[in-house]
Amino acid sequence: MYVQELEPVAGSLGLSALVAALPLVIVLVLLGGVRMKAHLAGLTGLLAAALVAWLAYGMPLDQTASSAAQGAVFGLFPILWIVVNALWVYRMTVRTRHFDILRRSFGRLSDDPRIQALVVAFCFGALLEALAGFGAPVAICSVMLVALGFDPVRAAVVALVANTAPVAFGAMGTPVVTLAQVTGLPLDDVASVVGRQTPLLALVVPLLLVWLVDGRRGLRETWVPALVCGVAFAVAQFAASNHVSAQLADIGAALAGAGALVAVPQARRPAEEPVRAAVLTGVRSEELDEDDPRGEVVRAYSPYALIVAIFSVAQIPAVKDWLAGATQTYDWPFLDVVDPRGEAVGGNVFTWPIVSTGGTLVLLAGVCTALVLGVHARVAVKEWAATVYELRFAILTVTSVLALAYVMNLSGQAATIGHFVAAAGAGLAFLSPVLGWFGVAVSGSDTSANALFGALQVTAARESGLSPELLAAANSSGGVLGKMISPQNLTIACAAVGLAGKEGDLLRKVLPWSVALLMVMCLIVVGQSSPVLSWMLP
């Protein structure tokens, strides 16, 4: 049995926290300073965490290795199992050119560039974030906006800023699923609190997008459809995350936002020619003028309808219980850990939700998608394998970061840092979103930031008397605002619109908005930790 210690270094909490933080510091420096590739930085950080656990905390090598293995397995299933299958669905729509049909369908909704920014970057971007995440929305939406005639720089900025509100529930809820796992908090509790924070961003972001597209005039002339879109998105995200399923939060929000936007007469009104001339300096793709048969348009929308339908059916109590019946629970080998109070930690047991996990449901939706789109079984399997190959470095990054997080959590390193950070007291509520923001800004992933800092936030919350669910959620909600300034996303945006090497220019344009929205989120969390906004929490 391994007993966690809080002050293993010279009996000092401060020194112990300094040593415990070394793996995190190494990862952040390698990513942000040295600009090392994420998977290499993750592996280096994992090695550092294992050495600290063994040498400073006295964790036996077999238990250290077992902790890392459990984290890597969790990274593969259910986390990457969701991501791979979701991206597979998208690849099949590209393969059959139904994605092009979908893009043309969006282009015909309105010829007003301000409305197009809302439809493509905010609503469709949220749908892509829900299904794939990991940079796909920025790349795809940037290209679509350029095809609609947007200047490349403006297209990239709009896509980056739009990719905020849906990130916490992206990739079928992967960030909040990870957060729940590493903190030991119930998924429904974590998702519920996040669903009472990020929807507030959704009220602001559409208004910000029309400002970015056309300044004061854009805000003055299109604030009504922008606000309606944001309200519908926020309400749907709140309702789904609190009462339906975290995995469906972004899908429902994206569809609700798009539906509400299209329903506003002002959004369907043709744009005045001077508006287009003043706002757009790029060349509109002639491909957008092609006509598509109604049946093909329906098929283009069908993958997303199938995912919504399958996940909705899976939430029916009888079906949910039946699916959960296949879940397997194992005693994890070579791992016997108790906390300083002598209580067994959750890592000793591993739960494998074989069928009920989101990835398996997306796989089922993918099989149905292949049938609807007419993708041959051999081609579908080939696309799945190609998806795994495309994500090979992301797979290595996620598994190494999760392994790092598990070693830090089970050895007691995260608990030490959490107890030390708890000294911030009431100020911890303000700093909590900043920590998540910093983690995502460096790593480019809300999932990674939650894995790295989730347990730390919960420990600090318990020591300072704050709500663990609130600070865990704040880590994720603050993190979404760091995504637009992460080197990974900036590079993706520049590559997508042909601005390679201009990442610094984009950073200067989006950084003020990232910091401003972060301050708003910090104030929201502070309010929720006090009687002022505590009524917002479940």
Side-chain angles (χ1 to χ4, degrees):
M1 179 183 296
Y2 169 70
V3 182
Q4 295 176 343
E5 288 187 64
L6 292 178
E7 303 173 352
V9 181
S12 167
L13 182 62
L15 288 176
S16 299
L18 189 63
V19 172
L22 280 176
L24 296 178
V25 173
I26 288 172
V27 171
L28 298 179
V29 169
L30 290 178
L31 283 172
V34 181
R35 298 293 179 89
M36 179 180 285
K37 292 184 182 300
H39 63 281
L40 296 177
L43 290 171
T44 306
L46 171 59
L47 177 61
L51 289 174
V52 170
W54 176 42
L55 298 175
Y57 280 75
M59 190 178 199
L61 278 177
D62 59 340
Q63 300 219 43
T64 302
S66 183
S67 301
Q70 185 178 160
V73 168
F74 176 70
L76 291 171
F77 193 100
I79 300 305
L80 288 164
W81 181 237
I82 297 172
V83 175
V84 168
N85 290 324
L87 197 55
W88 174 54
V89 174
Y90 163 71
R91 284 181 63 99
M92 285 193 291
T93 67
V94 173
R95 173 91 182 204
T96 59
R97 303 194 67 80
H98 283 89
F99 179 76
D100 293 332
I101 295 173
L102 191 67
R103 182 175 62 180
R104 287 193 287 271
S105 175
F106 289 156
R108 285 190 287 268
L109 289 176
S110 173
D111 70 344
D112 188 326
R114 300 162 299 190
I115 302 302
Q116 289 173 342
L118 295 176
V119 172
V120 173
F122 187 69
C123 297
F124 187 59
L127 192 59
L128 291 174
E129 182 66 38
L131 297 179
F134 292 89
V138 171
I140 295 167
C141 292
S142 296
V143 172
M144 291 178 71
L145 290 174
V146 169
L148 290 168
F150 277 67
D151 167 73
V153 174
R154 197 189 304 263
V157 170
V158 168
L160 285 166
V161 173
N163 190 221
T164 49
V167 169
F169 296 103
M172 308 307 296
T174 296
V176 291
V177 170
T178 303
L179 186 61
Q181 179 70 19
V182 299
T183 59
L185 299 173
L187 173 60
D188 290 343
D189 292 354
V190 174
S192 178
V193 180
V194 175
R196 294 160 193 255
Q197 293 172 343
T198 56
L200 299 176
L201 293 176
L203 299 176
V204 178
V205 172
L207 298 170
L208 177 55
L209 293 180
V210 297
W211 172 279
L212 289 171
V213 173
D214 195 25
R216 292 183 181 178
R217 179 179 62 173
L219 191 60
R220 184 176 65 250
E221 296 180 359
T222 57
W223 70 269
V224 172
L227 185 60
V228 168
C229 176
V231 169
F233 186 102
V235 170
Q237 192 181 61
F238 163 77
S241 60
N242 278 267
H243 304 295
V244 183
S245 164
Q247 287 89 348
L248 282 177
D250 278 351
I251 294 178
L255 297 177
L261 182 61
V262 173
V264 178
Q266 189 177 343
R268 301 193 304 274
R269 198 176 303 156
E272 298 177 5
E273 194 59 34
V275 173
R276 294 195 63 84
V279 172
L280 307 181
T281 58
V283 179
R284 187 175 185 272
S285 173
E286 294 181 0
E287 178 194 353
L288 296 173
D289 297 324
E290 294 181 20
D291 290 327
D292 298 302
R294 185 179 297 273
E296 291 301 303
V297 175
V298 172
R299 292 174 73 191
Y301 281 91
S302 63
Y304 312 105
L306 285 168
I307 289 175
V308 172
I310 289 172
F311 270 83
S312 298
V313 170
Q315 298 307 310
I316 298 173
V319 177
K320 191 173 184 177
D321 293 341
W322 179 70
L323 294 175
T327 299
Q328 302 291 318
T329 302
Y330 306 95
D331 288 329
W332 191 259
F334 309 111
L335 198 61
D336 186 11
V337 181
V338 295
D339 63 21
R341 293 169 300 197
E343 299 176 1
V345 302
N348 298 330
V349 176
F350 183 76
T351 302
W352 187 20
I354 303 173
V355 181
S356 60
T357 186
T360 303
L361 297 178
V362 176
L363 178 65
L364 176 59
V367 172
C368 295
T369 295
L371 294 173
V372 172
L373 299 185
V375 180
H376 192 277
R378 183 180 66 256
V379 175
V381 172
K382 184 178 178 181
E383 286 295 327
W384 193 91
T387 302
V388 174
Y389 181 77
E390 179 184 336
L391 291 174
R392 62 193 184 282
F393 292 120
I395 291 172
L396 190 54
T397 299
V398 172
T399 52
S400 62
V401 168
L402 264 298
L404 159 65
Y406 268 61
V407 170
M408 291 190 65
N409 294 345
L410 292 175
S411 66
Q413 295 173 58
T416 297
I417 300 172
H419 279 73
F420 181 75
V421 172
L428 187 59
F430 185 88
L431 295 175
S432 184
V434 177
L435 187 59
W437 175 83
F438 181 72
V440 176
V442 173
S443 69
S445 167
D446 200 33
T447 299
S448 296
N450 286 344
L452 292 173
F453 300 131
L456 184 158
Q457 298 266 23
V458 168
T459 301
R462 287 173 174 153
E463 288 301 305
S464 60
L466 296 172
S467 164
E469 292 81 5
L470 174 61
L471 293 202
N475 191 83
S476 191
S477 298
V480 306
L481 300 169
K483 192 151 189 179
M484 70 176 83
I485 63 169
S486 70
Q488 172 184 310
N489 257 25
L490 290 170
T491 301
I492 289 172
C494 286
V497 298
L499 294 174
K502 301 289 186 181
E503 289 86 356
D505 295 340
L506 277 188
L507 176 61
R508 283 190 289 273
K509 289 182 179 295
V510 299
L511 180 59
W513 300 112
S514 176
V515 173
L517 292 173
L518 173 65
M519 291 301 102
V520 172
M521 181 55 65
C522 289
L523 293 176
I524 290 172
V525 175
V526 169
Q528 291 177 333
S529 69
S530 69
V532 178
L533 294 179
S534 59
W535 53 269
M536 292 181 62
L537 299 179

